[in-house]
């Protein structure tokens, strides 16, 4: 069965520092992987998605993620954190039937000045 | 209006009440979903509709009853809920087959439900 595990429920960085949010997946078929962001009292917004076209995926707001099959990972990075990046981030994988997304528990990113 | 709109944004209901959550998408999508987001738990998929047909029911209690009258509207009818049903209920839509593997879902802002 497909699943994702997000390591670290809370990550704190300083403004301007590197952001690294970790996601490992488990999939019995080639996976489709996604990162979403949720701001307080909002729905989820797509940051980027991996669909096997390229292992390094660039998304919105300066975020990118690299698909590493050997490590079953899809970590999210941003070179320089901004205060506005503070939010909750979710990694997701398509379920085997391709009928819906399966989400991780989320990682809350805090950015301090 | 654009995107996925959910109403109401907040709802407080008693355990004996009946209420409905509404979702409307203006993206021309043909698949819609209900997710439940509880504190400290992953998002839980509840229901999936494709072309107005329910294609997935993720072992959801019968006190939650979905309705999809057309490809733009999705409802979640609630009755005799329990306090543990308090959560953020998120609606989403996508194009083509539900998620289609590589098709992303677009989410509404959610309805914050409190059962008292």
């Amino acid at each position: 069965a497909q699943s994702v595990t997000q390591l670290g429920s809370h990550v704190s960085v300083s403004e301007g520092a590197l952001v690294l949010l970790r996601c490992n997946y488990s999939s019995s078929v080639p996976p489709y992987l996604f990162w979403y962001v949720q701001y307080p009292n909002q729905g989820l917004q797509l940051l980027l998605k991996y669909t096997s076209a390229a292992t390094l995926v660039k998304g919105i707001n300066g975020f990118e993620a690299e698909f590493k099959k050997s490590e079953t990972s899809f970590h999210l990075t941003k070179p320089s954190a901004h205060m506005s990046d503070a939010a909750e981030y979710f990694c997701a994988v398509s379920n085997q039937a391709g009928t819906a997304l399966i989400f991780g528990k989320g990682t809350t990113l805090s950015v301090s000045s | 209006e654009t995107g996925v709109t959910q109403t109401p944004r907040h709802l407080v209901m008693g355990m004996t009440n009946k209420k409905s959550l509404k979702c409307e998408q203006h993206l021309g999508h043909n698949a819609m979903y209900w997710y439940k987001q509880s504190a400290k738990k992953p998002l839980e998929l509840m229901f999936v509709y494709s072309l107005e047909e329910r294609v997935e029911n993720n072992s959801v209690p019968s006190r939650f009853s979905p309705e999809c009258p057309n490809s733009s509207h999705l409802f979640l009818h609630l009755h005799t809920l329990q306090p543990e049903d308090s959560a953020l209920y998120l609606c989403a839509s996508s194009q083509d087959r539900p998620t289609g593997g590589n098709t992303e879902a677009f989410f509404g802002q959610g309805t914050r439900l409190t059962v008292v």
Side-chain angles (χ1 to χ4, degrees), chain A residues 3 8 19-20 34 47-48 51 53 55 69 71 74 89 98 105 108:
Chain A
S3 67
V19 175
L20 171 60
F34 305 78
L47 277 177
L48 49 82
T51 59
T55 56
K69 185 178 179 181
E71 299 177 7
F74 190 57
Y89 292 80
K105 291 187 176 182
T108 301

PDB file of all heavy atoms in Angstrom, chain A residues 3 8 19-20 34 47-48 51 53 55 69 71 74 89 98 105 108:
ATOM      1  N   SER A   3       2.156   4.886   1.051  1.00  0.00           N
ATOM      2  CA  SER A   3       2.167   5.696   2.262  1.00  0.00           C
ATOM      3  C   SER A   3       3.321   6.683   2.184  1.00  0.00           C
ATOM      4  O   SER A   3       4.255   6.505   1.389  1.00  0.00           O
ATOM      5  CB  SER A   3       2.308   4.834   3.519  1.00  0.00           C
ATOM      6  OG  SER A   3       3.574   4.216   3.553  1.00  0.00           O
ATOM      7  N   GLY A   8       9.828  14.487  11.450  1.00  0.00           N
ATOM      8  CA  GLY A   8       9.823  15.773  12.155  1.00  0.00           C
ATOM      9  C   GLY A   8       8.495  16.453  12.006  1.00  0.00           C
ATOM     10  O   GLY A   8       8.128  16.886  10.922  1.00  0.00           O
ATOM     11  N   VAL A  19      15.873  25.663   4.235  1.00  0.00           N
ATOM     12  CA  VAL A  19      14.737  24.884   4.692  1.00  0.00           C
ATOM     13  C   VAL A  19      14.851  23.470   4.116  1.00  0.00           C
ATOM     14  O   VAL A  19      15.071  23.301   2.908  1.00  0.00           O
ATOM     15  CB  VAL A  19      13.400  25.498   4.222  1.00  0.00           C
ATOM     16  CG1 VAL A  19      12.232  24.594   4.609  1.00  0.00           C
ATOM     17  CG2 VAL A  19      13.221  26.896   4.799  1.00  0.00           C
ATOM     18  N   LEU A  20      14.719  22.472   4.977  1.00  0.00           N
ATOM     19  CA  LEU A  20      14.724  21.072   4.550  1.00  0.00           C
ATOM     20  C   LEU A  20      13.609  20.348   5.278  1.00  0.00           C
ATOM     21  O   LEU A  20      13.647  20.208   6.499  1.00  0.00           O
ATOM     22  CB  LEU A  20      16.064  20.404   4.854  1.00  0.00           C
ATOM     23  CG  LEU A  20      16.123  18.879   4.640  1.00  0.00           C
ATOM     24  CD1 LEU A  20      15.822  18.514   3.195  1.00  0.00           C
ATOM     25  CD2 LEU A  20      17.484  18.327   5.079  1.00  0.00           C
ATOM     26  N   PHE A  34       3.654  14.538  -4.229  1.00  0.00           N
ATOM     27  CA  PHE A  34       3.232  15.928  -4.170  1.00  0.00           C
ATOM     28  C   PHE A  34       3.672  16.554  -2.843  1.00  0.00           C
ATOM     29  O   PHE A  34       3.778  15.859  -1.837  1.00  0.00           O
ATOM     30  CB  PHE A  34       1.695  16.026  -4.231  1.00  0.00           C
ATOM     31  CG  PHE A  34       1.061  15.349  -5.418  1.00  0.00           C
ATOM     32  CD1 PHE A  34       0.899  13.966  -5.456  1.00  0.00           C
ATOM     33  CD2 PHE A  34       0.621  16.090  -6.492  1.00  0.00           C
ATOM     34  CE1 PHE A  34       0.315  13.339  -6.545  1.00  0.00           C
ATOM     35  CE2 PHE A  34       0.029  15.478  -7.587  1.00  0.00           C
ATOM     36  CZ  PHE A  34      -0.123  14.096  -7.607  1.00  0.00           C
ATOM     37  N   LEU A  47       2.398  22.909  -3.923  1.00  0.00           N
ATOM     38  CA  LEU A  47       3.708  23.530  -4.096  1.00  0.00           C
ATOM     39  C   LEU A  47       4.407  22.974  -5.330  1.00  0.00           C
ATOM     40  O   LEU A  47       4.979  23.711  -6.132  1.00  0.00           O
ATOM     41  CB  LEU A  47       4.600  23.230  -2.887  1.00  0.00           C
ATOM     42  CG  LEU A  47       4.465  24.105  -1.659  1.00  0.00           C
ATOM     43  CD1 LEU A  47       5.386  23.582  -0.563  1.00  0.00           C
ATOM     44  CD2 LEU A  47       4.780  25.553  -1.966  1.00  0.00           C
ATOM     45  N   LEU A  48       4.391  21.646  -5.451  1.00  0.00           N
ATOM     46  CA  LEU A  48       5.039  20.995  -6.582  1.00  0.00           C
ATOM     47  C   LEU A  48       4.609  19.533  -6.634  1.00  0.00           C
ATOM     48  O   LEU A  48       4.039  19.015  -5.675  1.00  0.00           O
ATOM     49  CB  LEU A  48       6.570  21.094  -6.486  1.00  0.00           C
ATOM     50  CG  LEU A  48       7.230  20.706  -5.173  1.00  0.00           C
ATOM     51  CD1 LEU A  48       7.414  19.204  -5.041  1.00  0.00           C
ATOM     52  CD2 LEU A  48       8.577  21.405  -5.017  1.00  0.00           C
ATOM     53  N   THR A  51       6.169  13.636 -11.338  1.00  0.00           N
ATOM     54  CA  THR A  51       5.398  12.726 -12.187  1.00  0.00           C
ATOM     55  C   THR A  51       6.306  11.911 -13.088  1.00  0.00           C
ATOM     56  O   THR A  51       5.890  11.453 -14.133  1.00  0.00           O
ATOM     57  CB  THR A  51       4.415  13.534 -13.056  1.00  0.00           C
ATOM     58  OG1 THR A  51       5.166  14.456 -13.863  1.00  0.00           O
ATOM     59  CG2 THR A  51       3.433  14.302 -12.204  1.00  0.00           C
ATOM     60  N   ALA A  53       8.880  12.851 -14.851  1.00  0.00           N
ATOM     61  CA  ALA A  53       9.512  13.553 -15.971  1.00  0.00           C
ATOM     62  C   ALA A  53      10.931  13.987 -15.624  1.00  0.00           C
ATOM     63  O   ALA A  53      11.835  13.912 -16.454  1.00  0.00           O
ATOM     64  CB  ALA A  53       8.671  14.762 -16.372  1.00  0.00           C
ATOM     65  N   THR A  55      13.763  14.270 -12.021  1.00  0.00           N
ATOM     66  CA  THR A  55      13.908  13.937 -10.598  1.00  0.00           C
ATOM     67  C   THR A  55      13.979  15.178  -9.725  1.00  0.00           C
ATOM     68  O   THR A  55      13.628  15.131  -8.553  1.00  0.00           O
ATOM     69  CB  THR A  55      15.153  13.077 -10.357  1.00  0.00           C
ATOM     70  OG1 THR A  55      16.290  13.771 -10.866  1.00  0.00           O
ATOM     71  CG2 THR A  55      15.021  11.730 -11.046  1.00  0.00           C
ATOM     72  N   LYS A  69      14.966   7.610  -5.861  1.00  0.00           N
ATOM     73  CA  LYS A  69      14.375   6.279  -5.785  1.00  0.00           C
ATOM     74  C   LYS A  69      15.152   5.369  -4.837  1.00  0.00           C
ATOM     75  O   LYS A  69      14.565   4.601  -4.071  1.00  0.00           O
ATOM     76  CB  LYS A  69      14.319   5.662  -7.179  1.00  0.00           C
ATOM     77  CG  LYS A  69      13.622   4.319  -7.246  1.00  0.00           C
ATOM     78  CD  LYS A  69      13.559   3.808  -8.668  1.00  0.00           C
ATOM     79  CE  LYS A  69      12.879   2.447  -8.722  1.00  0.00           C
ATOM     80  NZ  LYS A  69      12.825   1.930 -10.124  1.00  0.00           N
ATOM     81  N   GLU A  71      16.652   6.043  -2.203  1.00  0.00           N
ATOM     82  CA  GLU A  71      16.393   6.380  -0.810  1.00  0.00           C
ATOM     83  C   GLU A  71      14.892   6.451  -0.512  1.00  0.00           C
ATOM     84  O   GLU A  71      14.517   6.747   0.623  1.00  0.00           O
ATOM     85  CB  GLU A  71      17.045   7.729  -0.468  1.00  0.00           C
ATOM     86  CG  GLU A  71      18.561   7.726  -0.644  1.00  0.00           C
ATOM     87  CD  GLU A  71      19.181   9.087  -0.366  1.00  0.00           C
ATOM     88  OE1 GLU A  71      18.472  10.002   0.087  1.00  0.00           O
ATOM     89  OE2 GLU A  71      20.402   9.230  -0.623  1.00  0.00           O
ATOM     90  N   PHE A  74      11.620  12.120  -1.007  1.00  0.00           N
ATOM     91  CA  PHE A  74      11.165  13.255  -1.810  1.00  0.00           C
ATOM     92  C   PHE A  74      11.194  14.475  -0.901  1.00  0.00           C
ATOM     93  O   PHE A  74      10.175  15.040  -0.546  1.00  0.00           O
ATOM     94  CB  PHE A  74       9.757  12.981  -2.364  1.00  0.00           C
ATOM     95  CG  PHE A  74       9.279  13.974  -3.388  1.00  0.00           C
ATOM     96  CD1 PHE A  74      10.003  14.216  -4.552  1.00  0.00           C
ATOM     97  CD2 PHE A  74       8.071  14.650  -3.215  1.00  0.00           C
ATOM     98  CE1 PHE A  74       9.555  15.122  -5.502  1.00  0.00           C
ATOM     99  CE2 PHE A  74       7.598  15.557  -4.160  1.00  0.00           C
ATOM    100  CZ  PHE A  74       8.353  15.789  -5.309  1.00  0.00           C
ATOM    101  N   TYR A  89       3.291  21.913   6.118  1.00  0.00           N
ATOM    102  CA  TYR A  89       3.640  21.324   4.829  1.00  0.00           C
ATOM    103  C   TYR A  89       3.305  19.836   4.834  1.00  0.00           C
ATOM    104  O   TYR A  89       3.623  19.119   5.782  1.00  0.00           O
ATOM    105  CB  TYR A  89       5.124  21.533   4.518  1.00  0.00           C
ATOM    106  CG  TYR A  89       5.455  22.987   4.266  1.00  0.00           C
ATOM    107  CD1 TYR A  89       5.628  23.878   5.330  1.00  0.00           C
ATOM    108  CD2 TYR A  89       5.561  23.491   2.972  1.00  0.00           C
ATOM    109  CE1 TYR A  89       5.898  25.221   5.103  1.00  0.00           C
ATOM    110  CE2 TYR A  89       5.842  24.823   2.735  1.00  0.00           C
ATOM    111  CZ  TYR A  89       5.998  25.680   3.811  1.00  0.00           C
ATOM    112  OH  TYR A  89       6.268  27.008   3.581  1.00  0.00           O
ATOM    113  N   GLY A  98      -4.912   5.155  -8.048  1.00  0.00           N
ATOM    114  CA  GLY A  98      -4.906   6.460  -8.702  1.00  0.00           C
ATOM    115  C   GLY A  98      -6.172   7.245  -8.459  1.00  0.00           C
ATOM    116  O   GLY A  98      -6.502   8.149  -9.224  1.00  0.00           O
ATOM    117  N   LYS A 105       1.580  13.168   7.910  1.00  0.00           N
ATOM    118  CA  LYS A 105       1.012  13.860   9.061  1.00  0.00           C
ATOM    119  C   LYS A 105       1.288  15.353   9.052  1.00  0.00           C
ATOM    120  O   LYS A 105       0.697  16.089   9.827  1.00  0.00           O
ATOM    121  CB  LYS A 105       1.538  13.246  10.357  1.00  0.00           C
ATOM    122  CG  LYS A 105       1.013  11.851  10.622  1.00  0.00           C
ATOM    123  CD  LYS A 105       1.428  11.362  11.996  1.00  0.00           C
ATOM    124  CE  LYS A 105       0.810  10.000  12.290  1.00  0.00           C
ATOM    125  NZ  LYS A 105       1.161   9.516  13.641  1.00  0.00           N
ATOM    126  N   THR A 108       5.180  21.262  10.574  1.00  0.00           N
ATOM    127  CA  THR A 108       4.976  22.692  10.793  1.00  0.00           C
ATOM    128  C   THR A 108       6.320  23.400  10.707  1.00  0.00           C
ATOM    129  O   THR A 108       7.258  23.039  11.427  1.00  0.00           O
ATOM    130  CB  THR A 108       4.348  22.951  12.171  1.00  0.00           C
ATOM    131  OG1 THR A 108       3.088  22.267  12.241  1.00  0.00           O
ATOM    132  CG2 THR A 108       4.129  24.436  12.379  1.00  0.00           C
TER     133      THR A 108
END
